[in-house]
Amino acid sequence: MFKMIAFDMDGNIADTIPLCVEAFRRSVSPYVGHELSEQEIVETFGLNEIGMIKALVSENWEVALQDFYCAYTLLHRQITKPFPGILELLTVLKSQNIILALVTGKGEKSCRISLKELGLEHMFDAICYGSEKAPNKKENIEGLLKEYPISRNQFCYVGDAVSDIRACGKAGVTCFSAAWQDSSDIALLEKENPGRVCSSVEKLYQLMGGEDFLYYHEITEEEKEEISTWRYDGQYSIYNLPSYEAMKQKNCGLANPGNHFFSFYQHQCLVGYVNLCPEEERVFFGIGVKPECCGQGYGQKMTVLASILSEALFPGKPMYLDVRTWNWRAIQCYKKVGFVVQGQEFSQTTGAGEGRFYRMVKKADTAIDNTENPILQ
């Protein structure tokens, strides 16, 4: 199906349109002699910030531009997270070896500010910026199609405006309309782009063919309760957890506030969870697969997703884990995702008792052996 998926920034990745308007109002109004209205600012959208300011300011536009960057950076500290579900979607798509692009009307500097504040600096494989002279999304899309060995029907774009739909139409590619911000005109988008308007990130995920994807979210209290009841047989019974109530009393395991747990689903079935615990120079990784789901490949898929998520949340930090030496099923899974054994085996006492362990480490950006790609089949 799709081998490359491109996203617009403002109104798609994060709720940054009000931020852009306010930054322009604060920084540019003094140079035009009156308080800029929202309509005056919005009419310049489609150009990058240099073009927008030049359209409004006849003199000293360079000074106004620097004032804009200062205001934009300061205001952006109020918006430090993407829309709910966006990080999860990008992680899932990236785990499927899909090329992720950002095609935005923003200029490079403001775009970089946003990506840094949102923690997405390392998420996109290609970034195309706006022009100060004229809207250029069609040209940027066509440039990506020339640069990458993909056909037009293997490319799609996610935008929130009617202009995005029309640019995609001219470029001959599929457009999905993001309508999850409060100001979205769903009726207008549906009229221009029938059947491809997404009122939620989940709906976009489904329209892209994501029914069979493994998806995740931050773990809930109910899921922690359920996970604590999972029971493994034989030698794997050592991984059985105490009750969630007992863990809460000791602030350990699933109740440890220093851990970052994420639960993973296939369709509506909870299949496992991971823990990413950041330390000063590295990230501890833990994983658990539902007993009935063991041996079905979920561990490898979850580890791939966790690796990408860890790089997004804690860029540049290697991941590590300690695995019992007899657990060859887990060791082989970790090796396929880029973990390597570091040093010699060692003894360690955990909540489950004493055992012999290997330490395995995965450097940041280590290549992943991910030959299965359901979305491309």
Side-chain angles (χ1 to χ4, degrees):
M1 198 177 176
F2 299 118
K3 290 186 177 181
M4 184 175 207
I5 299 176
F7 292 81
D8 189 12
M9 169 66 85
D10 297 318
N12 288 312
I13 300 298
D15 191 17
T16 48
I17 292 178
L19 164 65
C20 294
V21 172
E22 181 59 25
F24 265 93
R25 180 179 287 117
R26 290 188 185 187
S27 60
V28 181
S29 291
Y31 296 91
V32 297
H34 68 274
E35 183 79 9
L36 287 170
S37 68
E38 181 172 345
Q39 183 61 32
E40 287 178 285
I41 298 169
V42 170
E43 285 177 354
T44 66
F45 278 15
L47 306 177
N48 65 19
E49 57 266 19
I50 297 175
M52 292 173 68
I53 290 176
K54 282 185 174 181
L56 296 168
V57 179
S58 56
E59 297 180 1
N60 296 322
W61 68 266
E62 296 97 334
V63 181
L65 178 64
Q66 295 309 311
D67 288 351
F68 165 76
Y69 288 134
C70 290
Y72 188 74
T73 302
L74 182 63
L75 288 168
H76 215 310
R77 291 169 186 166
Q78 302 172 16
I79 302 175
T80 58
K81 291 185 177 181
F83 281 115
I86 285 292
L87 176 58
E88 292 82 354
L89 175 65
L90 295 176
T91 304
V92 168
L93 296 176
K94 202 171 185 69
S95 76
Q96 298 296 324
N97 293 328
I98 293 171
I99 303 165
L100 295 184
L102 190 67
V103 178
T104 176
K106 303 176 81 68
E108 181 175 0
K109 186 167 183 176
S110 65
C111 183
R112 292 294 179 184
I113 292 170
S114 288
L115 290 176
K116 182 178 180 180
E117 292 294 333
L118 296 170
L120 299 176
E121 292 175 283
H122 306 279
M123 188 58 71
F124 295 98
D125 303 296
I127 302 177
C128 299
Y129 306 103
S131 165
E132 66 178 90
K133 297 180 180 179
N136 65 341
K137 286 186 178 178
K138 171 182 174 291
E139 290 74 17
N140 278 334
I141 290 171
E142 290 176 337
L144 289 171
L145 291 170
K146 290 179 181 179
E147 182 178 354
Y148 291 86
I150 55 176
S151 62
R152 294 180 189 274
N153 62 3
Q154 293 172 325
F155 178 100
C156 73
Y157 183 71
V158 182
D160 65 305
V162 169
S163 59
D164 296 324
I165 301 168
R166 294 173 181 171
C168 287
K170 292 176 182 178
V173 299
T174 298
C175 180
F176 293 108
S177 295
W180 44 74
Q181 56 180 325
D182 293 339
S183 59
S184 297
D185 190 336
I186 295 179
L188 178 60
L189 292 172
E190 189 65 45
K191 181 180 178 181
E192 293 276 344
N193 197 19
R196 290 176 175 161
V197 178
C198 310
S199 57
S200 67
V201 176
E202 291 75 16
K203 178 68 179 296
L204 171 64
Y205 182 73
Q206 292 169 3
L207 288 180
M208 287 178 173
E211 284 291 332
D212 295 327
F213 285 177
L214 200 64
Y215 66 96
Y216 70 93
H217 57 241
E218 290 188 20
I219 201 167
T220 66
E221 291 295 296
E222 293 76 13
E223 290 163 346
K224 291 179 181 180
E225 290 274 6
E226 178 182 344
I227 290 168
S228 69
T229 67
W230 291 354
R231 288 296 175 264
Y232 302 92
D233 296 326
Q235 60 185 344
Y236 292 98
S237 64
I238 199 169
Y239 296 114
N240 292 338
L241 297 173
S243 70
Y244 185 46
E245 189 61 36
M247 286 186 275
K248 286 194 291 185
Q249 291 176 3
K250 297 182 179 180
N251 286 328
C252 67
L254 294 171
N256 186 337
N259 291 330
H260 291 68
F261 288 103
F262 301 87
S263 53
F264 286 74
Y265 280 79
Q266 179 78 52
H267 301 298
Q268 301 301 313
C269 177
L270 174 63
V271 298
Y273 68 97
V274 303
N275 172 30
L276 295 173
C277 183
E279 299 175 358
E280 186 173 347
E281 296 182 351
R282 56 189 181 177
V283 179
F284 173 78
F285 171 61
I287 184 172
V289 178
K290 191 174 184 178
E292 302 92 295
C293 298
C294 289
Q296 300 179 36
Y298 290 118
Q300 182 177 342
K301 292 179 181 178
M302 290 164 56
T303 306
V304 169
L305 287 167
S307 299
I308 297 169
L309 179 60
S310 179
E311 180 63 22
L313 296 176
F314 317 110
K317 288 189 175 184
M319 298 170 66
Y320 81 97
L321 57 88
D322 295 331
V323 57
R324 294 179 185 273
T325 55
W326 55 260
N327 195 351
W328 283 103
R329 182 172 70 185
I331 292 169
Q332 293 306 309
C333 168
Y334 302 140
K335 284 184 175 179
K336 289 181 179 179
V337 183
F339 282 87
V340 296
V341 174
Q342 185 179 74
Q344 302 297 316
E345 63 179 86
F346 61 94
S347 294
Q348 181 174 236
T349 300
T350 70
E354 187 176 356
R356 299 289 291 175
F357 291 81
Y358 290 121
R359 173 149 297 178
M360 301 188 72
V361 178
K362 181 180 184 299
K363 295 181 180 179
D365 295 325
T366 299
I368 294 171
D369 177 15
N370 184 27
T371 54
E372 295 183 0
N373 193 343
I375 200 170
L376 303 186
Q377 298 173 356

